[in-house]
Amino acid sequence: MSVESRIVYFDKPGWRCTDEVLAICKRRADELGIRTAVVPSVTGYTALKALEVLQGMRLVVVTAHTGYARADLQSFPEARRRELTARGVPVLTAPHVFGGLSYAMRDMYGTAMLGVDMGNALRTLGQGMKVVIECPMAAMDAGLLAWGEEVVSMGGTNRGVDTAVTLRPVHVRDFFSLRVNEILCKPRFDP
Amino acid sequence: MAEGISYFSEAGPQNTGAVLRIVATRARELGIRRVLVPSTTGATALAAAEALAGLDLVVMTHETGFARNGEQEFPIETRRALEARGIAVHTVTHAFGGLSRAMRDKFNTHVIGDIVANTLRVFGQGMKVAAEITLMAADCGAVRTDETLIATGGTDHGLDTAIVCRPVNAQRFFDLKVQEILCKPHFQG
C-alpha cells in the first residue's frame, strides 16, 4: 500500500529557505500528530524563528559544538541560550556525531575516516540531510528525546534550514538501524 | 516547488508496479528519457520493459559471483530477449561491494563501501541500490554524466525506491546529488 504525500524542492540550498521549511514542518507535524522538533541553530536565528512558527511543539535546539569555528568559540549567544532555556527549550551543545575524532584525522592526516565518509554519503542528498540525521542522535544521547517518538528534524547549509524529515531517533551507537520516514523538503540541486 | 512523493507501507517487491507507474509519470513530466533498473532474476527488467515502453531502459544485474562463485543469476535467455528489444543489460562489479566486500568476507572488517552503503540505507535499501547502480552505469559507459535520469532500487527483489539524479563515476561518488525522491518505503517503526 502506498500513501501519496508532498515534498517541496528548493531551487537553491541555504538560509533563505528557513521560513518555508518551518511552515512545512508545522503543517506536517500537525497532520501526523508529531509533537517534537529538532532544530539546528548556530547563532540562535533559526531557534528563535522556530519558536515563533512551531508554537505548541516541543523544541530541542542543537548548536554547533564549542570550538567548531575556532578554539573556545561558541557561536550561540549566551543570552539567547538563557532566554530559550527560560522558555523551556533545551539548547544542546555537544560533539558532532560525524565530526569529532573523524575530523581530527582528516585535519591532521588528510585521511577520511568513518564519520567523514558517512557525512559525505548523506551529503549526496544535500548538506542539510547530513544535519537532519546528526542532530537527533546527539539529542538522543543527551537524553533530550524519548526513545521511539517520531520527531521532525531540520537541517541546513551553513545557516538556517533547507531540509526536513520525519524519523524516530536512535542513539549514535545504533546509527545503522536509523530509518528516515518522510522527506518533507530539500534543495533540488539542478545542474 | 511542491511535488508528489509516495511512501510505501512496507519495503519490498510488491511495490514494483507502483514504482514503475510513478517513474513513467515523472519521466514524462520532466522530459527524462533514460531509466536505470536493477534486476537480479530478470523479472523486474521484464516488468520495466512493459511499463516503460518508449523510454531508454538500462538494466543493471547483480555482478557475476554475487550469490555463488561463477554464477550469474540473470538468465541468459532473458538477457537475449531484452537485448533483442534494444534494452541494454549490464553486468559489472558492484560499486559499494567490490573490495569492500572482500575485506568484510575475509577479515570481517567494514571499510568504505560498506560504510557508504549502510549510511544510505537510512533512507532504505532501495536508496542504496539506486545510488550504486548509477555509479556502475556511469563507469561502464551505459549512461552519461551530463544527463539527468531516473534511477530505481529495491529491497532484495523488485523496486520500492526511485530518484532523479545526474550520474557520476564511482571515483566521484561524493559529488553525486540526488535531485528528487519520487518514492520510498516508510518505516513506521
Short mmCIF file of all heavy atoms in Angstrom, two decimals, chain A residues 17-41:
data_model
loop_
_atom_site.label_atom_id
_atom_site.label_comp_id
_atom_site.label_asym_id
_atom_site.label_seq_id
_atom_site.Cartn_x
_atom_site.Cartn_y
_atom_site.Cartn_z
N CYS A 17 15.60 29.50 2.73
CA CYS A 17 14.51 28.51 2.76
C CYS A 17 13.90 28.40 4.16
O CYS A 17 12.87 27.72 4.33
CB CYS A 17 15.05 27.13 2.35
SG CYS A 17 15.99 27.12 0.81
N THR A 18 14.51 29.02 5.15
CA THR A 18 14.16 28.76 6.56
C THR A 18 12.67 28.94 6.86
O THR A 18 12.04 28.05 7.46
CB THR A 18 14.99 29.67 7.48
OG1 THR A 18 16.38 29.41 7.23
CG2 THR A 18 14.68 29.40 8.95
N ASP A 19 12.11 30.08 6.47
CA ASP A 19 10.70 30.34 6.81
C ASP A 19 9.78 29.26 6.23
O ASP A 19 8.87 28.78 6.90
CB ASP A 19 10.26 31.71 6.27
CG ASP A 19 10.90 32.85 7.08
OD1 ASP A 19 11.47 32.57 8.15
OD2 ASP A 19 10.82 34.01 6.61
N GLU A 20 10.08 28.88 4.98
CA GLU A 20 9.22 27.89 4.33
C GLU A 20 9.39 26.51 4.97
O GLU A 20 8.42 25.78 5.15
CB GLU A 20 9.51 27.84 2.82
CG GLU A 20 8.35 27.26 2.05
CD GLU A 20 8.53 27.34 0.53
OE1 GLU A 20 9.35 28.15 0.06
OE2 GLU A 20 7.83 26.58 -0.16
N VAL A 21 10.62 26.19 5.33
CA VAL A 21 10.87 24.89 5.98
C VAL A 21 10.08 24.81 7.29
O VAL A 21 9.43 23.79 7.57
CB VAL A 21 12.38 24.69 6.27
CG1 VAL A 21 12.61 23.45 7.13
CG2 VAL A 21 13.15 24.58 4.96
N LEU A 22 10.12 25.86 8.06
CA LEU A 22 9.42 25.85 9.35
C LEU A 22 7.91 25.70 9.14
O LEU A 22 7.24 24.96 9.86
CB LEU A 22 9.74 27.12 10.14
CG LEU A 22 11.18 27.20 10.66
CD1 LEU A 22 11.49 28.59 11.19
CD2 LEU A 22 11.42 26.17 11.76
N ALA A 23 7.38 26.40 8.13
CA ALA A 23 5.94 26.30 7.85
C ALA A 23 5.58 24.88 7.42
O ALA A 23 4.56 24.32 7.84
CB ALA A 23 5.54 27.31 6.78
N ILE A 24 6.42 24.29 6.60
CA ILE A 24 6.20 22.90 6.13
C ILE A 24 6.22 21.94 7.32
O ILE A 24 5.38 21.06 7.46
CB ILE A 24 7.29 22.51 5.10
CG1 ILE A 24 7.08 23.27 3.79
CG2 ILE A 24 7.30 21.00 4.85
CD1 ILE A 24 8.29 23.24 2.85
N CYS A 25 7.19 22.14 8.21
CA CYS A 25 7.32 21.26 9.39
C CYS A 25 6.10 21.38 10.29
O CYS A 25 5.59 20.38 10.79
CB CYS A 25 8.58 21.62 10.17
SG CYS A 25 10.08 21.10 9.35
N LYS A 26 5.65 22.60 10.49
CA LYS A 26 4.49 22.82 11.36
C LYS A 26 3.26 22.11 10.79
O LYS A 26 2.54 21.40 11.49
CB LYS A 26 4.24 24.33 11.49
CG LYS A 26 2.99 24.72 12.25
CD LYS A 26 3.05 24.29 13.71
CE LYS A 26 1.83 24.81 14.47
NZ LYS A 26 1.58 24.00 15.68
N ARG A 27 3.06 22.30 9.48
CA ARG A 27 1.88 21.71 8.84
C ARG A 27 1.92 20.18 8.93
O ARG A 27 0.96 19.54 9.34
CB ARG A 27 1.82 22.16 7.38
CG ARG A 27 0.55 21.73 6.66
CD ARG A 27 0.40 22.41 5.32
NE ARG A 27 1.57 22.20 4.48
CZ ARG A 27 2.29 23.18 3.94
NH1 ARG A 27 1.99 24.44 4.17
NH2 ARG A 27 3.33 22.90 3.18
N ARG A 28 3.08 19.60 8.60
CA ARG A 28 3.16 18.14 8.58
C ARG A 28 3.13 17.55 9.99
O ARG A 28 2.56 16.48 10.21
CB ARG A 28 4.44 17.70 7.84
CG ARG A 28 4.46 16.23 7.48
CD ARG A 28 3.30 15.85 6.57
NE ARG A 28 3.29 14.43 6.22
CZ ARG A 28 2.19 13.74 5.99
NH1 ARG A 28 1.01 14.32 6.06
NH2 ARG A 28 2.27 12.46 5.68
N ALA A 29 3.75 18.26 10.93
CA ALA A 29 3.72 17.78 12.32
C ALA A 29 2.29 17.76 12.82
O ALA A 29 1.87 16.80 13.49
CB ALA A 29 4.59 18.68 13.20
N ASP A 30 1.52 18.78 12.49
CA ASP A 30 0.11 18.81 12.90
C ASP A 30 -0.66 17.67 12.27
O ASP A 30 -1.47 17.01 12.92
CB ASP A 30 -0.53 20.16 12.52
CG ASP A 30 -0.06 21.29 13.44
OD1 ASP A 30 0.54 20.99 14.49
OD2 ASP A 30 -0.28 22.46 13.08
N GLU A 31 -0.39 17.43 10.98
CA GLU A 31 -1.10 16.35 10.28
C GLU A 31 -0.79 14.99 10.88
O GLU A 31 -1.65 14.12 11.00
CB GLU A 31 -0.70 16.34 8.80
CG GLU A 31 -1.31 17.47 8.00
CD GLU A 31 -0.69 17.61 6.60
OE1 GLU A 31 0.25 16.84 6.26
OE2 GLU A 31 -1.13 18.50 5.86
N LEU A 32 0.47 14.79 11.27
CA LEU A 32 0.91 13.47 11.76
C LEU A 32 0.82 13.34 13.28
O LEU A 32 1.08 12.28 13.82
CB LEU A 32 2.35 13.21 11.31
CG LEU A 32 2.60 13.06 9.81
CD1 LEU A 32 4.09 12.99 9.52
CD2 LEU A 32 1.89 11.82 9.26
N GLY A 33 0.50 14.43 13.95
CA GLY A 33 0.46 14.39 15.41
C GLY A 33 1.84 14.33 16.04
O GLY A 33 2.01 13.83 17.16
N ILE A 34 2.83 14.84 15.34
CA ILE A 34 4.20 14.87 15.88
C ILE A 34 4.33 16.08 16.79
O ILE A 34 3.94 17.19 16.44
CB ILE A 34 5.23 14.93 14.73
CG1 ILE A 34 5.24 13.59 13.97
CG2 ILE A 34 6.63 15.25 15.26
CD1 ILE A 34 6.14 13.56 12.75
N ARG A 35 4.89 15.85 17.98
CA ARG A 35 4.92 16.89 19.00
C ARG A 35 6.30 17.54 19.17
O ARG A 35 6.43 18.53 19.86
CB ARG A 35 4.49 16.30 20.37
CG ARG A 35 3.16 15.57 20.37
CD ARG A 35 1.98 16.51 20.11
NE ARG A 35 2.07 17.70 20.94
CZ ARG A 35 1.77 18.91 20.52
NH1 ARG A 35 1.39 19.10 19.27
NH2 ARG A 35 1.85 19.94 21.35
N THR A 36 7.33 16.93 18.62
CA THR A 36 8.69 17.38 18.91
C THR A 36 9.46 17.71 17.62
O THR A 36 9.35 16.97 16.64
CB THR A 36 9.46 16.29 19.69
OG1 THR A 36 8.73 16.01 20.89
CG2 THR A 36 10.87 16.75 20.06
N ALA A 37 10.22 18.79 17.67
CA ALA A 37 11.05 19.17 16.52
C ALA A 37 12.49 19.37 16.98
O ALA A 37 12.74 19.95 18.03
CB ALA A 37 10.53 20.46 15.89
N VAL A 38 13.41 18.86 16.17
CA VAL A 38 14.84 19.06 16.44
C VAL A 38 15.34 20.14 15.50
O VAL A 38 15.17 20.02 14.27
CB VAL A 38 15.63 17.75 16.24
CG1 VAL A 38 17.11 17.97 16.53
CG2 VAL A 38 15.06 16.65 17.14
N VAL A 39 15.92 21.19 16.08
CA VAL A 39 16.28 22.38 15.31
C VAL A 39 17.77 22.69 15.46
O VAL A 39 18.23 22.99 16.56
CB VAL A 39 15.47 23.61 15.81
CG1 VAL A 39 15.75 24.83 14.95
CG2 VAL A 39 13.99 23.31 15.88
N PRO A 40 18.52 22.65 14.38
CA PRO A 40 19.93 23.05 14.48
C PRO A 40 20.01 24.57 14.44
O PRO A 40 19.25 25.21 13.70
CB PRO A 40 20.55 22.46 13.20
CG PRO A 40 19.43 22.48 12.22
CD PRO A 40 18.15 22.29 12.99
N SER A 41 20.87 25.13 15.24
CA SER A 41 20.97 26.59 15.25
C SER A 41 22.37 27.00 15.68
O SER A 41 22.80 26.68 16.79
CB SER A 41 19.91 27.18 16.20
OG SER A 41 19.87 28.58 16.08
#
